[in-house]
Amino acid sequence: MKRKIALQLSGVERHYGQGDTVLSILKGADFTLHSGEIVALVAPSGTGKSTLLHVAGLLEHPDKGEVFINGKSCNNLPDDQRTAIRRSEIGFVYQFHHLLPEFSALENIMMPQLIGGLAWNETRERASQLLDYMRIGHRATHRPAELSGGEQQRVAIARAVANAPLVLLADEPTGNLDPETAHYVFDALEALVRQSGLAAVIATHNLDLARRMDRRVTISDGKVHEI
């Protein structure tokens, strides 16, 4: 069965000015991500991994080219519509967890759902289910400072998928973890992706984890290439 295209970049260019010079990071990048697949983005630092994820996640506008989320071009949408798409259809996970320190693990996962307009009881139930799925339900009432690095990152992953997004973008999600914890966190992330059928792009330097994903791509000379 043909899988649905969740994310597509077509001819994307991204340039930054540095004094009198222009630094070209993406130069006509093309990339397609289907629902239910996990793609590893493996490339040296400075080649544009984060830029690609920012453009794909509608955090930055491309200078040229098109970004499609769920088949819809997002280039010319007003900021409020781009924000709405980020909130409902895109989940983000970063190398640092960015959890709110004054809230518990459960409350951190509830937050994006409450912002999205869901009722308190519904958000609490879903947050509890996600914590259980990530095998840290017993840590629900603990604040980030009381959690280990692996636990914090699993809360961050649960928060990223709390609104049932179509696409998950992860930028070095296990970069701050020791190898054993990194594999444990990736196991939980992979299981979540497989179970939910969302599409995921995971930027990583961990080649062992990259080999476990469905495809591997890199960025070279501003373009995306299969490896």
Side-chain angles (χ1 to χ4, degrees):
M1 186 175 66
K2 190 174 181 179
R3 290 186 292 183
K4 179 180 179 181
I5 295 177
L7 167 68
Q8 185 173 14
L9 307 183
S10 178
V12 167
E13 297 185 8
R14 191 72 177 100
H15 314 291
Y16 300 96
Q18 284 192 339
D20 295 330
T21 62
V22 175
L23 186 63
S24 296
I25 303 298
L26 300 178
K27 309 173 188 176
D30 297 313
F31 176 68
T32 300
L33 179 69
H34 294 86
S35 296
E37 76 169 342
I38 309 176
V39 176
L41 176 56
V42 184
S45 297
T47 55
K49 295 194 304 296
S50 294
T51 298
L52 184 78
L53 293 177
H54 288 170
V55 171
L58 308 185
L59 295 171
E60 295 185 28
H61 288 269
D63 295 297
K64 189 176 180 181
E66 294 278 338
V67 178
F68 298 89
I69 303 291
N70 199 18
K72 181 177 182 178
S73 176
C74 300
N75 282 32
N76 298 318
L77 295 178
D79 287 343
D80 60 338
Q81 290 187 34
R82 289 169 64 89
T83 298
I85 291 174
R86 283 197 303 270
R87 185 180 298 150
S88 63
E89 300 198 46
I90 304 172
F92 297 93
V93 182
Y94 299 99
Q95 185 170 348
F96 186 71
H97 53 77
H98 294 296
L99 298 175
L100 299 173
E102 66 271 30
F103 294 100
S104 68
L106 185 73
E107 291 165 341
N108 265 278
I109 301 171
M110 291 173 64
M111 202 67 64
Q113 300 177 78
L114 292 171
I115 293 172
L118 293 180
W120 178 273
N121 289 341
E122 186 178 354
T123 63
R124 185 179 179 87
E125 180 179 358
R126 177 161 173 77
S128 296
Q129 290 173 347
L130 285 168
L131 282 172
D132 288 340
Y133 196 87
M134 301 300 283
R135 301 180 183 178
I136 48 174
H138 61 292
R139 307 289 274 166
T141 60
H142 291 254
R143 294 185 179 183
E146 301 170 312
L147 304 174
S148 70
E151 289 170 338
Q152 290 172 347
Q153 199 62 314
R154 277 180 278 167
V155 173
I157 291 169
R159 180 184 59 184
V161 302
N163 282 337
L166 183 68
V167 176
L168 179 68
L169 303 174
D171 195 355
E172 296 286 350
T174 61
N176 283 332
L177 307 176
D178 64 81
E180 183 178 355
T181 304
H183 277 274
Y184 191 85
V185 169
F186 182 78
D187 286 344
L189 174 58
E190 182 181 27
L192 195 58
V193 170
R194 301 300 186 198
Q195 180 69 26
S196 64
L198 61 79
V201 181
I202 302 176
T204 182
H205 285 107
N206 189 321
L207 297 181
D208 288 336
L209 295 184
R211 292 187 189 100
R212 294 174 53 184
M213 302 187 211
D214 300 319
R215 289 192 289 133
R216 287 149 295 283
V217 299
T218 189
I219 299 175
S220 177
D221 194 29
K223 295 185 178 180
V224 179
H225 303 275
E226 298 276 343
I227 55 175

